Amino acid sequence: MSKKWSGEKARAWYQQHPWGCGFNYLPRTAVNWTEMWQSDTFDLTTIEQELGWAREYGYNQLRTNLPHIIWLNDRDGLIYRIDRFLRVADRCGMRVVLTLLDDCAFSGDEPFAGPQKPPVRGLHNSQAAGSPGRDRVVDPACWSDIERYISDIVGHFAADTRILLWDLYNEPGNRGIFCPDGEYRQYDAKLEIYALTLMSHAFGWARAQNPSQPLTVGAWHIEPGSAPFSHPVDRVALHLSDVVSYHAYVDTPTQLEILTALLAFNRPVLCTEWLARHVGSVLAEQLPLFKALRVGAFHWGLVQGKTQTWLPWPAIASRHGDDALWFHDVLTAQGQPYSRDEMERVRRLCLAG
């Protein structure tokens, strides 16, 4: 089994790549990653069109999630579709971050294969499904399947240069459930304990495949009254990761404070989720900051679509009413910029080298 990369190895790897400017991706025709990746709804035509739009602005990386439920039901098909996706991204000049596990099941449902529910009108990311699903995370009897899933996917693509890195677990322990009335409910608190343990195992399972790509899990807890990333999940994630990654939907002064702290690890730093205009996480200020500090950046969303992530989180929506300001995303469903000024800035920064 390989060990955690040394700081020297991680820095040498990072120097081989240009500054990374990218986005989190689902096609506009998918309400969640199950719909994106399953056979009947894998929409390669739309994917090719949308990544072509992104290429015109100079984006060179993207991050997307894989659904354990599809691997369980159609392993060979999923592997085939991942390869087809990577071919399209490669033709568009983009390296890909693949995320294997995810606790952001904001729908409140456990994942299921087959036709997905339609989006709930007016609700941000209303059908978000977890991987493998919160009920499986809190049931260690299910973890042998999760181990096989991680070992299989990482092992199959361990030498694939189209993959930038492995993000093993998106927001471990996220218990949130979004409700149309703006209420924010939460899954059982035991999720956090089990997710921490599962995350630690995931690093071991992935390292056993000796991947050529680095491994990471993003720190994500930012709570009022507490130092960012002081939660045990975040501390362990930062300790185990080959390269530092994090999520921060915060205003620019707070973003700079976070970056100052994380750069002190003396490892490559990537912000794998940001851009939330209502709370001051804005492209005009923060994308130049990321480039100046050579921090890889993946804002949330590319094209306005079925996830409805241009709408704000429910708690924010309840305060803003019918505010026309977009929360995430940068292009309309027709490929036009939400903000021409924003996208001209993306073009200048990405294409300047």
Side-chain angles (χ1 to χ4, degrees), residues 90-345:
D90 188 54
R91 287 200 302 269
C92 292
M94 296 175 207
R95 292 200 173 179
V96 175
V97 174
L98 290 177
T99 304
L100 296 173
L101 306 178
D102 180 13
D103 279 345
C104 291
F106 299 131
S107 67
D109 295 334
E110 289 302 298
F112 57 92
Q116 300 297 292
K117 296 178 181 178
V120 177
R121 183 173 179 176
L123 185 59
H124 177 107
N125 216 357
S126 61
Q127 300 302 343
S131 174
R134 291 162 171 164
D135 286 356
R136 286 180 175 272
V137 172
V138 302
D139 182 3
C142 297
W143 289 9
S144 58
D145 275 343
I146 300 170
E147 178 181 1
R148 287 193 290 271
Y149 161 67
I150 291 174
S151 300
D152 184 25
I153 298 293
V154 174
H156 189 89
F157 293 100
D160 198 317
T161 58
R162 300 170 298 182
I163 295 175
L164 181 67
L165 58 88
W166 297 100
D167 189 347
L168 297 178
Y169 202 152
N170 181 62
E171 300 197 356
N174 190 320
R175 299 161 50 210
I177 299 171
F178 291 160
C179 304
D181 59 5
E183 181 186 357
Y184 182 73
R185 296 190 291 112
Q186 296 195 66
Y187 187 87
D188 195 305
K190 66 184 178 182
L191 178 69
E192 297 187 15
I193 300 170
Y194 284 97
L196 174 56
T197 305
L198 179 59
M199 176 185 69
S200 300
H201 284 312
F203 274 99
W205 298 333
R207 289 200 202 285
Q209 303 305 311
N210 295 308
S212 59
Q213 313 92 343
L215 309 179
T216 195
V217 169
W220 67 277
H221 293 83
I222 301 176
E223 303 290 344
S226 301
F229 313 140
S230 57
H231 191 283
V233 166
D234 300 333
R235 293 202 300 268
V236 173
L238 292 169
H239 174 71
L240 294 176
S241 293
D242 298 323
V243 298
V244 171
S245 66
Y246 74 103
H247 301 173
Y249 298 105
V250 295
D251 61 22
T252 303
T254 307
Q255 188 75 260
L256 182 57
E257 290 176 8
I258 289 171
L259 284 168
T260 300
L262 294 181
L263 288 167
F265 281 82
N266 200 24
R267 287 177 178 266
V269 176
L270 301 96
C271 184
T272 48
E273 289 190 23
W274 67 284
L275 184 61
R277 297 175 182 91
H278 292 69
V279 298
S281 180
V282 293
L283 195 147
E285 296 176 356
Q286 296 189 13
L287 193 63
L289 176 64
F290 291 132
K291 182 163 188 181
L293 297 176
R294 206 170 185 274
V295 169
F298 301 77
H299 62 67
W300 190 270
L302 180 67
V303 179
Q304 180 185 40
K306 288 175 71 174
T307 58
Q308 301 180 151
T309 52
W310 78 91
L311 302 173
W313 297 323
I316 293 177
S318 66
R319 299 195 302 266
H320 283 259
D322 294 328
D323 192 343
L325 181 67
W326 280 21
F327 193 67
H328 302 318
D329 304 327
V330 295
L331 301 177
T332 70
Q334 294 74 41
Q336 298 302 308
Y338 160 69
S339 164
R340 293 193 179 278
D341 288 344
E342 282 185 349
M343 297 314 293
E344 283 305 313
R345 189 178 298 272

